[in-house]
Amino acid sequence: MEFESMDNCFPTAQDDSATTFNGRSIRGLTAPTKSNGEPCGSSRRLTVTASIAAITARFQLPRFGTISAHFGRSLQKFLSSSVTLPALAATTAAIAWSGHLAAIPLSLVAPLLVYHTKSRKHAYASMFSYYAAAGWPLIPGARAFFGVRSTPLIGLLLCLAGGALLALPWGLLFARGRERSASSVQLCILLTVIPPLGIIGWASPLLSAGVLFPGSKWFGLALITVFLIAFRFRPALSVVSLALCAFVFHFQYTQPQVPAGWEAVNTNYGGAGQGDPDFTTEYNTAQTMQTTILESHANVLLFPEHLLTHWNESTDAFWGDALTALASQHRTVLIGAGINPPGSSRNPFTQKRYLNVLLARGEENTALYQERIPVPLAMWRPLSDDGVPLKLFARGTIRVHNQNAAVLICYEQILVWPFLSSALEHPSVLLTASNDYWAKDTRIPAIQQSSAASWARLFHLPLLSASNF
């Protein structure tokens, strides 16, 4: 019996340079099939493709770039909603300014959202939501601050008015285009931290520099500026770079120590020293303070803001024995008090205007810090002849026991202008004094403390704080 050659039954694949598939020309290998004209009972040859490229062409998944582009368009549509951006801005503001130091960098989100706004009104609405949400603690705190005749409505109005004013530059300077919008954001941030808007310039994204880049000083502020510009052009790269820089600065940062022998006294005197003088309360407060001073062994003792309504020659005489003992021990006390402006009447009962100061007594008797930006309307009343005057360019540091101490009183802690103007005087320690009896049930004291802590971290300064509740 004769058998046909196996070579004829199983021929090898041959190269076909012009195979067609679905009307397209595909080059590859073809597999022969049975044909009538061939051995092994094969039928007419039918040419089909065996190319891997041709087989997978039908089932090829969409490219990553296509998916990314689709996601980007969906995200852009979501962000461009007239409601989405204001809601996101308000949410991040409420979290960033809740009194937690680590949350402050969330304040950077709002300026980045402005890049996605569609119009001046949209940009204004987004930043109004941000600033108004950041000022929400004013609502519960206003009643205690302005007295029993006040209502939460006053706090709400102050919150909304502040937000409306601070959002003005963002609406007026709105710009389209990458270069113009990046420049606009920088200019808006600047306008909201320098006077006149800087007088109410709370919730500035610049405070995030102290959290992200501790010890970097002015360079940290520059890094925040660079990040906000770079995000407009290379969002992913700018975020990664921000994270890497933050890691480097955190890795090398060491917590500075308060000068040896410096202590702060936190008190619970309530509204002592505020409003109409209560002589019995003031007498008891002064006696308690003197006892604390004499029992302490600190070289420098810091008391809270405005515990004594008026400090004058009579007060010096009343405190004489305690202050003489301090001086003999080469010790100094820093006391928050009200004093008469230079050239005014010495009678405190005929003097409506006063200075809110931190004064030194004991071995140091000449150091005096005057609050530069009092709380608008409540303390600084521009259309009235009473209250605390605005002193934007007054000195921001005092010299105490060989230390150049920057001082922030109460409201100044949450602003940018007072601290940065003090930083120009090269401080070696940061002192903060506040009288938060009216805000003890709100987040305001925590916001003040976290803001001051951020400034201290940025310039690598030890922080000493005294508060009254």
Side-chain angles (χ1 to χ4, degrees), residues 111-112 114-116 170 173-190 224-234:
L112 301 181
V114 173
Y115 290 141
H116 298 278
W170 301 89
L173 299 178
F174 170 79
R176 292 185 173 88
R178 291 186 175 183
E179 293 81 4
R180 294 183 61 191
S181 59
S183 300
S184 173
V185 165
Q186 299 304 314
L187 184 56
C188 288
I189 291 178
L190 177 64
I224 294 296
T225 300
V226 171
F227 166 73
L228 292 174
I229 295 175
F231 187 90
R232 188 68 178 99
F233 301 91
R234 295 288 188 272

Side-chain angles (χ1 to χ4, degrees), residues 1 17 21 38 154 164 287 310 371 418:
M1 180 181 295
S17 60
F21 183 77
E38 294 184 6
I154 293 182
Q287 289 287 78
H310 294 282
E371 185 179 26

Side-chain angles (χ1 to χ4, degrees), residues 356 369-374 389-397 406-409 412 417-423 425:
N356 190 26
Y369 172 80
Q370 175 184 342
E371 185 179 26
R372 290 164 287 174
I373 304 183
L390 186 70
K391 298 287 185 179
L392 292 173
F393 302 102
R395 187 167 180 82
T397 60
V407 182
L408 298 176
I409 293 182
E412 294 177 326
W417 176 267
F419 177 78
L420 291 187
S421 58
S422 296
E425 300 172 21

